[in-house]
Amino acid sequence: MEPSGESVSYVLPQPVGAPDAWTVEAAQLGGVGAQRLLEVAEVSAPPAVADVIGPLVVVRRRLVLFDERPVELADSYYPLEVARGTGLAEAGRIRGGAPTLLATLGYLPDEVAEELAVRPGTPAETASLDLADSSLVVELFRVTRDRDGRAYEVAAMVMRPEGRVFRYRMKVGDDGVSRQ
């Protein structure tokens, strides 16, 4: 069984003492979810990230595993003023996941925008995800903003495509305006 990709649980804080959203989802699927932290550093942001949150960021790079099998590469980027001096900038697990820590810092999601693409994986991506050369991957680019419209997290994920199901839901009012 593979992850379902319902995004809302990945941007909301977890209850006090609860595990991160991936651990919960993997358990619901009858497996064990884990993340291997590959890097935590202050870096120059890639262009798509810099356009949203600025040129210098803290990145947390992870390899996401399902029953010890690699299923996703996940890079989360944070503005320096959000991450510096917090657990986001430290090489270690964050109890309950980054959204839980962000909530304690006053960052709660108000708007989440996602873009999905299917493309050939790079040699590094296919090797990390244990895919055949030139395999297709699913790329998800997510921007999370607070009530004031400020982006405080950009996530760039590259996933194995098989078994992926993405679920999206929106409310649209009589005037055509989304009311989520």
Side-chain angles (χ1 to χ4, degrees):
M1 197 158 244
E2 293 288 335
S4 67
E6 187 160 335
S7 297
V8 70
S9 62
Y10 288 90
V11 298
L12 294 174
Q14 296 297 307
V16 174
D20 62 87
W22 171 235
T23 301
V24 171
E25 181 181 349
Q28 290 170 346
L29 294 169
V32 176
Q35 297 182 44
R36 187 174 305 143
L37 193 58
L38 304 175
E39 178 184 24
V40 177
E42 287 188 18
V43 299
S44 294
V49 173
D51 287 348
V52 179
I53 59 175
L56 296 175
V57 296
V58 168
V59 64
R60 294 181 65 84
R61 296 186 200 283
R62 301 166 318 282
L63 177 64
V64 180
L65 306 162
F66 183 75
D67 287 343
E68 298 186 28
R69 178 177 173 227
V71 293
E72 178 177 319
L73 294 164
D75 295 349
S76 297
Y77 299 91
Y78 306 94
L80 293 181
E81 63 272 11
V82 170
R84 259 193 190 150
T86 74
L88 295 168
E90 297 172 6
R93 293 186 56 87
I94 298 173
R95 185 145 178 87
T100 302
L101 175 60
L102 286 160
T104 67
L105 300 172
Y107 296 97
L108 292 169
D110 185 65
E111 178 185 83
V112 178
E114 293 186 341
E115 181 177 300
L116 279 168
V118 176
R119 61 168 175 77
T122 67
E125 291 166 345
T126 57
S128 293
L129 294 172
D130 197 23
L131 294 168
D133 290 342
S134 72
S135 290
L136 294 177
V137 295
V138 176
E139 182 178 57
L140 186 136
F141 187 82
R142 175 187 301 141
V143 177
T144 306
R145 296 180 185 277
D146 65 15
R147 251 179 227 265
D148 296 325
R150 290 181 303 240
Y152 62 86
E153 180 179 30
V154 174
M157 294 153 274
V158 176
M159 304 168 227
R160 297 180 68 95
E162 70 273 357
R164 290 289 177 163
V165 175
F166 296 92
R167 293 184 185 94
Y168 293 91
R169 183 178 59 200
M170 67 181 84
K171 287 185 170 250
V172 180
D174 292 337
D175 57 1
V177 176
S178 176
R179 307 236 188 272
Q180 290 245 11

